[in-house]
Amino acid sequence: MWLVVALLVLAIVGAIYQAIATARAERAHPPPGELVDVGGHRLHIHFVGQGSPTVVLDAALGSISASWVWVQREVSGTTRVCAYDRAGMGWSESGLEPRDARQVTGELHALLKGADIGKGPYVLVGHSYGGLYSQTYAARYPDEVAGVALVESSHPEQFSRLPEARDSYDETKRLYAVASLLARIGVVRLFGLSPAPPELPQHQRAQIAALNPSTRQVSTTAQEFHATPQTTAKARSLRSLGDKPLAVVSAGTQSSGWLELQDDLATLSPNSMHRVVEGATHTSLVYERSDAQSTSAAIVEVVQAVRNDRPLTR
């Protein structure tokens, strides 16, 4: 009985610590962009640069808009670039469940309509799991999409076609089953279980380190991951981009099976290129400055192809 009481006391103390620390973190790191109402809750979007088409950056699972800093800085020299936080992530307020691709892309559609970023069509950029959302958006709102760049993007069939992805999925699912509780009682924050990528600039590292351990963000990440079957089903509905420019950027350190899936993504458009960056990793293509330059260059090529109505150079 005493052990149970002690654990309950620790949990209460941890929850109080989490609430206070989260409030302090949010005050210390206000949103760099603007909050836009999308129907009952607000999403954060941060845009820099000028010109069209506008590039829209969708982050990986568990990542926030600040993670795009290297890419956003580089591409903003060519056109306007928007990094946003999905509902419940970063500076965005929590949204409705389930947190699957249909819900996420519907909210993004409302965000782009409500934000003062000019009319589309847009160039969508999705990293890792964010690539599933970009694919779904392109399927649901084809007239609003001028081009797409998929950066180490998840494939709708990766969990059925890659044994290592299937194993990782089961392990991650078990992890997220307890992650929300650990965040709620302050364990994630206290022990630094959700660190910021060290390759990013200090300012963005501080933002991510402050916001990543919030209960809202950890819980939302778990909800997005648990909705993977629904999300991959929606992403699978994208059969073709027509002849819209498509850049697929992959890490050279990945397995041959993964690179085959990336080749498959490139078949979504005959006007496509698949660029493999030697020595890069799944995360370094966004987080590490030199590898992120390769990602940025591919995005700029898509922008120029859209702007000048010409095919991509393979």
Side-chain angles (χ1 to χ4, degrees):
M1 180 180 295
W2 285 112
L3 178 60
V4 172
V5 171
L7 291 175
L8 286 174
V9 170
L10 286 174
I12 293 171
V13 171
I16 294 172
Y17 156 75
Q18 171 71 352
I20 294 173
T22 299
R24 287 179 174 174
E26 291 175 350
R27 286 196 300 269
H29 300 278
E34 61 182 68
L35 294 172
V36 178
D37 187 272
V38 296
H41 60 284
R42 298 180 301 167
L43 298 187
H44 170 252
I45 186 167
H46 179 218
F47 50 87
V48 296
Q50 296 292 328
S52 63
T54 296
V55 172
V56 181
L57 305 171
D58 214 328
L61 184 75
S63 295
I64 69 174
S65 54
S67 67
W68 284 108
V69 56
W70 293 131
V71 172
Q72 193 169 25
R73 285 181 183 177
E74 191 80 19
V75 179
S76 65
T78 299
T79 195
R80 175 169 286 188
V81 191
C82 302
Y84 88 105
D85 293 310
R86 298 189 291 272
M89 306 296 296
W91 291 277
S92 289
E93 297 172 350
S94 296
L96 299 175
E97 296 184 34
R99 299 308 306 162
D100 60 5
R102 180 174 182 81
Q103 182 66 33
V104 168
T105 55
E107 291 170 346
L108 176 58
H109 179 255
L111 173 63
L112 295 177
K113 292 298 182 185
D116 184 22
I117 58 173
K119 296 181 179 180
Y122 311 100
V123 170
L124 304 181
V125 180
H127 175 222
S128 189
Y129 205 88
L132 295 174
Y133 298 133
S134 295
Q135 294 167 58
T136 301
Y137 196 99
R140 294 187 69 190
Y141 309 105
D143 293 342
E144 297 181 15
V145 179
V148 177
L150 298 174
V151 184
E152 272 290 292
S153 172
S154 295
H155 188 286
E157 298 176 3
Q158 71 183 56
F159 298 111
S160 59
R161 290 171 57 175
L162 291 181
E164 62 268 28
R166 201 160 46 239
D167 294 342
S168 174
Y169 175 79
D170 292 336
E171 292 176 7
T172 306
K173 190 174 182 179
R174 288 192 291 270
L175 172 65
Y176 279 129
V178 299
S180 297
L181 174 61
L182 295 178
R184 194 174 301 278
I185 62 176
V187 172
V188 173
R189 184 180 298 276
L190 182 63
F191 293 98
L193 301 182
S194 186
E199 304 93 339
L200 295 179
Q202 191 279 329
H203 181 65
Q204 282 72 26
R205 286 203 313 272
Q207 291 174 323
I208 294 170
L211 300 180
N212 263 8
S214 73
T215 304
R216 179 182 63 199
Q217 175 145 325
V218 175
S219 296
T220 301
T221 301
Q223 291 166 4
E224 286 191 16
F225 187 78
H226 286 308
T228 294
Q230 297 93 325
T231 289
T232 53
K234 292 301 295 183
R236 202 175 292 118
S237 65
L238 178 63
R239 303 296 184 182
S240 171
L241 288 167
D243 63 352
K244 295 172 183 175
L246 166 65
V248 176
V249 185
S250 304
T253 57
Q254 290 282 29
S255 68
S256 58
W258 175 265
L259 292 177
E260 287 175 6
L261 291 180
Q262 301 295 291
D263 280 333
D264 187 57
L265 290 174
T267 65
L268 288 169
S269 172
N271 183 14
S272 68
M273 66 177 183
H274 180 194
R275 184 164 298 165
V276 180
V277 182
E278 295 302 326
T281 67
H282 184 71
T283 57
S284 74
L285 284 170
V286 172
Y287 300 155
E288 200 278 323
R289 188 172 190 176
S290 62
D291 288 343
Q293 287 176 340
S294 297
T295 297
S296 302
I299 296 170
V300 168
E301 288 186 48
V302 173
V303 168
Q304 297 288 13
V306 171
R307 185 178 289 168
N308 300 316
D309 193 22
R310 59 172 174 76
L312 285 172
T313 302
R314 291 180 178 271

